[in-house]
Amino acid sequence: MSRITLTMVVSILAAAMVACGGAPSGVGDPEIGEEIYRTNLEDEPGQHACSECHSLGQSGPFGPSFQGISEIAGERVAGMTAEEYLRESIANPSAFIVEGYHDNLMPKVYGEILSEEEINHLIAFMLSQ
Ligand code: HEC
């Protein structure tokens, strides 16, 4: 395929995705992210939704608040963007422990039970806070 044909195909695909209302891959929808944030993802008694540990206001009840997380996330680990840090915090919470909190609270299963798309939605939601 020539370069021009390839460019055309890519533009048509991009236009089609916009027309269908679908977000381009890698970009989440903050509203869907908020739904996921309020859902008990492990679907078992005794397990918690993100929102039961992370508030959007004052810190707590069990984890740091997401208030201002879009700003804070990019400053947590040198060399990591906010998005990279949030992705890692979901998939591998032990990689960085927020000061004053314990490593044993945040569930470590999200990297396995959530799809990449669901994680993208969660990240978009957190970046809107
Ligand atoms: C049972 C409580 C609990 C649940 C449920 C939970 N977390 Fe956490 N989370 C924590 C705790 C405690 C910390 C701080 C310790 C650490 O850094 O791992 C944390 C840290 C984080 C951080 C880093 C915050 C910062 O200020 O740097 C992010 C991002 C995060 N969690 C996202 C999520 C998301 C998204 C979900 C749901 C899919 C979730 N957490 C579910 C307890 C929880």
Side-chain angles (χ1 to χ4, degrees):
M1 222 189 288
S2 79
R3 185 166 275 256
I4 292 173
T5 323
L6 194 64
T7 310
M8 274 172 62
V9 169
V10 170
S11 328
I12 292 167
L13 274 178
M17 277 172 71
V18 171
C20 298
S25 62
V27 178
D29 179 329
E31 280 178 30
I32 304 176
E34 180 162 8
E35 288 280 306
I36 301 172
Y37 159 79
R38 297 190 189 284
T39 305
N40 179 350
L41 299 163
E42 294 168 89
D43 199 24
E44 279 171 31
Q47 301 303 322
H48 304 277
C50 318
S51 58
E52 289 176 78
C53 290
H54 297 281
S55 79
L56 303 179
Q58 287 186 335
S59 217
F62 300 110
S65 166
F66 285 168
Q67 188 172 51
I69 185 87
S70 55
E71 304 262 320
I72 297 164
E75 289 163 13
R76 284 279 195 233
V77 179
M80 275 185 127
T81 64
E83 195 199 320
E84 285 164 352
Y85 171 74
L86 292 174
R87 195 174 295 279
E88 181 180 78
S89 298
I90 297 171
N92 182 15
S94 307
F96 176 85
I97 309 299
V98 179
E99 206 187 321
Y101 291 91
H102 290 284
D103 179 28
N104 53 4
L105 258 180
M106 168 122 177
K108 310 212 186 325
V109 293
Y110 296 130
E112 286 157 39
I113 64 176
L114 293 176
S115 69
E116 200 185 327
E117 211 181 354
E118 288 170 317
I119 292 178
N120 289 339
H121 293 319
L122 275 171
I123 291 173
F125 168 64
M126 289 189 280
L127 288 178
S128 74
Q129 297 303 306

